[in-house]
Amino acid sequence: MDLESDIRMNLQNIQERIQRACLQVGRDPAEIRLLLATKTVPLSKIDIAIQEGYALLGENKVQEALAKFGSRLDDAHIERHFIGHVQTNKVNQVLRFATCIQSVDRLKLAQKLDNRLRNEGRTLDVYVQVNTSQEESKFGITPDRALSLMEAINGMEGLNLKGLMTIGLFSRDADKVRACFQTLRMLKDEAVYAHLLDEENYVLSMGMSHDLEIAIEEGANLIRVGTAIFGKRKYDDTYYWNENLDVQ
Ligand SMILES: *Cc1c(COP(=O)(O)O)cnc(C)c1O
């Protein structure tokens, strides 16, 4: 089977998984937005999904994102979310392409973004990334400090706080994964109660290729999927490997 129909079929599969998960808990599948996690995926492949009508993309590395989108920043209908760790010294570069940053996880970063944006006379949508799995290897603010970071961001003119993001624990134990998503949902409830997030328009960004059903059951309304659409990132067939070498 050729590459294009592969990606189309994978997108179809994800839509079916979203529908089944929604059915389980009586949610409307139309509530769930699908973000394509496109790290290491070349534009030629991403374009196949864009032709299918997908327009919400997420990148992890500043350099890679600029290389891919640099020439196409005027594609106004494409949403370019940043979902990777933002180093403080990369703020200016991220702001060149991102239409939303999902990974704001510390006050210093928020302040730097805000300063820069106010200088440019514009605003940017951001989500706060929370470390709900307590793993040292992952970025994100701890759940107990998330609300005060949200409060601080709420007072910043350059930033529009729109939601929360987390990466679930990588575990076969579904209960442990679920607990991560429940933590994020409870934080969302607290934030809505404190008028830090809009009750109707908040974003709960959680769930990836392997755990999107659990995330949807726990209230996700934006899921971020890479592997299940574009294939494994590193050790796939040689065709894919060669493409990866081009990008990195
Ligand atoms: C890569 C990535 C995803 C997608 O992961 P898959 O397992 O490939 O679906 C989602 N969120 C973040 C932050 C990522 O870096």
Side-chain angles (χ1 to χ4, degrees):
M1 192 177 289
D2 68 5
L3 183 66
E4 290 198 19
S5 42
D6 258 0
I7 290 177
R8 289 206 184 93
M9 207 176 63
N10 292 342
L11 284 164
Q12 188 58 38
N13 275 334
I14 294 293
Q15 292 301 346
E16 284 163 18
R17 285 175 63 187
I18 292 171
Q19 278 165 20
R20 265 188 312 240
C22 283
L23 208 61
Q24 284 287 333
V25 288
R27 295 186 62 193
D28 178 359
E31 286 173 20
I32 318 289
R33 298 193 71 200
L34 174 59
L35 174 144
L36 311 179
T38 49
K39 56 177 176 271
T40 78
V41 180
L43 261 183
S44 56
K45 280 189 178 182
I46 300 171
D47 275 334
I48 297 166
I50 291 175
Q51 279 157 24
E52 291 296 295
Y54 292 87
L56 176 55
L57 311 179
E59 283 285 337
N60 289 67
K61 300 263 186 241
V62 175
Q63 259 5 82
E64 188 183 332
L66 276 173
K68 282 186 204 169
F69 301 128
S71 58
R72 296 179 38 175
L73 292 179
D74 48 356
D75 261 352
H77 79 289
I78 302 212
E79 290 181 67
R80 298 172 298 269
H81 285 208
F82 196 74
I83 59 175
H85 179 63
V86 188
Q87 291 167 269
T88 315
N89 64 3
K90 293 271 170 68
V91 156
N92 291 352
Q93 284 166 287
V94 182
L95 289 178
R96 280 173 57 197
F97 67 86
T99 58
C100 172
I101 298 176
Q102 294 201 7
S103 42
V104 176
D105 62 356
R106 58 200 191 278
L107 185 61
K108 202 175 160 197
L109 172 62
Q111 285 167 333
K112 196 146 185 204
L113 287 166
D114 179 50
N115 270 330
R116 181 73 203 180
L117 285 158
R118 278 189 292 114
N119 280 341
E120 294 179 6
R122 62 184 181 115
T123 63
L124 188 77
D125 290 353
V126 295
Y127 310 163
V128 163
Q129 179 176 1
V130 183
N131 181 346
T132 54
S133 63
Q134 326 271 335
E135 282 176 301
E136 279 176 31
S137 60
K138 289 209 194 99
F139 295 108
I141 194 159
T142 54
D144 60 311
R145 293 186 303 151
L147 273 185
S148 61
L149 178 58
M150 294 176 89
E151 267 164 28
I153 291 174
N154 195 44
M156 295 181 187
E157 224 177 280
L159 301 182
N160 304 321
L161 181 65
K162 295 285 182 168
L164 289 165
M165 186 269 261
T166 199
I167 300 172
L169 182 71
F170 291 106
S171 165
R172 285 178 194 281
D173 185 339
D175 289 340
K176 287 186 182 161
V177 180
R178 189 177 299 279
C180 296
F181 297 147
Q182 286 171 339
T183 298
L184 199 71
R185 188 190 52 192
M186 286 187 287
L187 276 173
K188 181 272 292 177
D189 290 342
E190 287 179 51
V192 166
Y193 187 75
H195 302 291
L196 295 169
L197 286 177
D198 187 280
E199 185 167 15
E200 308 277 308
N201 286 312
Y202 67 83
V203 181
L204 209 48
S205 171
M206 56 189 197
M208 307 170 31
S209 291
H210 59 285
D211 58 13
L212 66 91
E213 283 86 357
I214 304 174
I216 288 171
E217 286 165 21
E218 295 304 329
N221 57 16
L222 190 160
I223 59 172
R224 311 176 307 268
V225 180
T227 313
I229 295 167
F230 298 108
K232 282 210 183 88
R233 279 180 290 273
K234 276 186 187 135
Y235 26 77
D236 221 352
D237 51 64
T238 47
Y239 174 72
Y240 199 73
W241 179 248
N242 287 337
E243 280 195 332
N244 278 346
L245 288 181
D246 278 349
V247 172
Q248 281 152 2

